[in-house]
């Protein structure tokens, strides 16, 4: 049972355009959501997070939107740059629990020149 | 400042053998997390150590075990290796008790384990 789903295994976006990566979750107890970025041969790096008390969080070119009623979050990258080509993992957990978070399978983003 | 380091970078074992993977956290970090990234399965939580104790483990069989040393480095041991254990094993560290997803959690580059 996949609690965190990234239904698009890959996505290609023209440089300069907006990249939108989507993520759905099933566990209504999740109240903390994160995005990680992973380059080949490197470990994932934290990108941006959002708690369930907010519906949007921005950090530079990256914005995460949370729709709690739909159990859906998305990561927007504007404008997309060649260095954004990577695998993006969505993750979810419970803020008041010091234990594991659940990761999605990842979406490979390819920025086209 | 050195980041999270893992060794070896690649490991090839035969079925039934044991594998030992090592992780050194960032200096000052006391929590170490282990994840498995198998093909098509994303990142799956394995183990969490903090202050030398196992705090939690994921849904993996007991042949996946580990420990944390007084210097906070950690070992992941996989006994009776199976072909399905072939994966990238990632270690992450953070300053203390807390989720591995906070802004102060850092991942190593991983150990690629291949079981033949």
């Amino acid at each position: 049972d996949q609690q965190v789903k990234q239904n698009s295994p890959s996505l290609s976006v023209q440089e300069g355009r907006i990249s939108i990566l989507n993520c759905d979750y099933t566990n209504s107890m999740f109240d903390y959501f994160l995005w990680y970025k992973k380059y080949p041969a490197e470990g994932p790096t934290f990108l941006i997070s959002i708690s369930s008390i907010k519906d949007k969080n921005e950090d530079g070119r990256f914005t995460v939107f949370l729709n709690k009623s739909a159990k859906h979050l998305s990561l927007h990258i504007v404008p997309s740059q060649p260095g954004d080509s990577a695998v993006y993992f969505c993750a979810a957990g419970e803020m008041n629990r010091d234990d594991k978070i659940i990761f999605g399978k990842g979406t490979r983003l390819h920025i086209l020149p | 400042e050195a980041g999270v380091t893992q060794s070896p970078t690649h490991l090839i074992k035969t079925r039934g053998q044991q594998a030992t993977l090592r992780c050194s956290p960032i200096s000052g970090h006391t929590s170490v997390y282990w994840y498995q990234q198998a093909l098509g399965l994303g990142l799956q939580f394995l183990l969490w150590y903090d202050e030398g104790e196992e705090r939690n483990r994921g849904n993996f069989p007991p042949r996946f075990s580990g420990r944390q040393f007084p210097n906070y480095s950690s070992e992941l041991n996989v006994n009776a290796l199976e072909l399905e254990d072939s994966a990238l094993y990632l270690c992450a560290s953070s300053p203390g008790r807390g989720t591995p997803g906070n802004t102060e959690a850092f991942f190593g580059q991983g150990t690629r384990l291949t079981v033949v």
Side-chain angles (χ1 to χ4, degrees):
Chain A
D1 175 34
Q2 261 187 278
Q3 296 188 62
V4 178
K5 300 177 189 178
Q6 293 177 257
N7 291 318
S8 299
S10 65
L11 177 68
S12 294
V13 175
Q14 206 77 37
E15 182 180 353
R17 301 271 178 95
I18 178 172
S19 295
I20 300 177
L21 293 92
N22 293 303
C23 178
D24 297 291
Y25 62 96
T26 58
N27 189 340
S28 57
M29 298 299 291
F30 289 151
D31 57 7
Y32 188 55
F33 307 90
L34 312 100
W35 286 93
Y36 279 85
K37 177 179 178 181
K38 184 180 184 302
Y39 291 117
E42 293 184 15
T45 54
F46 170 79
L47 199 54
I48 192 169
S49 65
I50 188 169
S51 74
S52 59
I53 62 172
K54 300 173 75 172
D55 55 17
K56 184 174 89 170
N57 189 26
E58 291 179 83
D59 184 4
R61 296 186 298 112
F62 302 92
T63 302
V64 57
F65 294 92
L66 175 63
N67 182 335
K68 291 187 288 292
S69 61
K71 293 193 178 68
H72 176 84
L73 63 154
S74 60
L75 174 68
H76 292 214
I77 306 174
V78 186
S80 301
Q81 297 176 354
D84 297 330
S85 294
V87 177
Y88 290 79
F89 289 98
C90 169
E94 297 176 46
M95 201 71 116
N96 62 349
R97 289 186 61 179
D98 286 352
D99 60 15
K100 55 185 177 287
I101 60 172
I102 309 296
F103 285 83
K105 291 185 179 182
T107 296
R108 181 174 299 279
L109 176 64
H110 181 46
I111 304 301
L112 305 169
Chain B
E1 180 183 331
V4 177
T5 57
Q6 290 186 245
S7 62
T9 52
H10 293 85
L11 188 59
I12 300 175
K13 293 282 187 178
T14 56
R15 197 166 50 181
Q17 282 189 312
Q18 180 199 37
T20 298
L21 289 67
R22 296 179 179 82
C23 172
S24 292
I26 289 172
S27 177
H29 286 190
T30 62
S31 274
V32 170
Y33 307 84
W34 287 96
Y35 288 87
Q36 182 196 66
Q37 186 185 4
L39 200 61
L41 292 178
L43 285 167
Q44 298 185 85
F45 170 75
L46 262 167
L47 290 159
W48 169 33
Y49 292 96
D50 185 71
E51 297 284 354
E53 293 187 22
E54 182 181 301
R55 299 293 183 184
N56 210 329
R57 65 180 291 127
N59 296 325
F60 281 84
R63 50 190 193 82
F64 287 84
S65 65
R67 54 180 172 166
Q68 187 177 34
F69 299 98
N71 66 354
Y72 304 116
S73 66
S74 176
E75 266 183 9
L76 172 67
N77 295 295
V78 188
N79 293 319
L81 284 165
E82 300 177 2
L83 297 178
E84 308 81 73
D85 297 332
S86 295
L88 180 68
Y89 289 84
L90 291 161
C91 169
S93 76
S94 70
R97 290 197 77 176
T99 69
N102 66 33
T103 56
E104 295 177 328
F106 299 88
F107 282 86
Q109 290 195 338
T111 293
R112 172 73 60 186
L113 173 64
T114 303
V115 183
V116 296

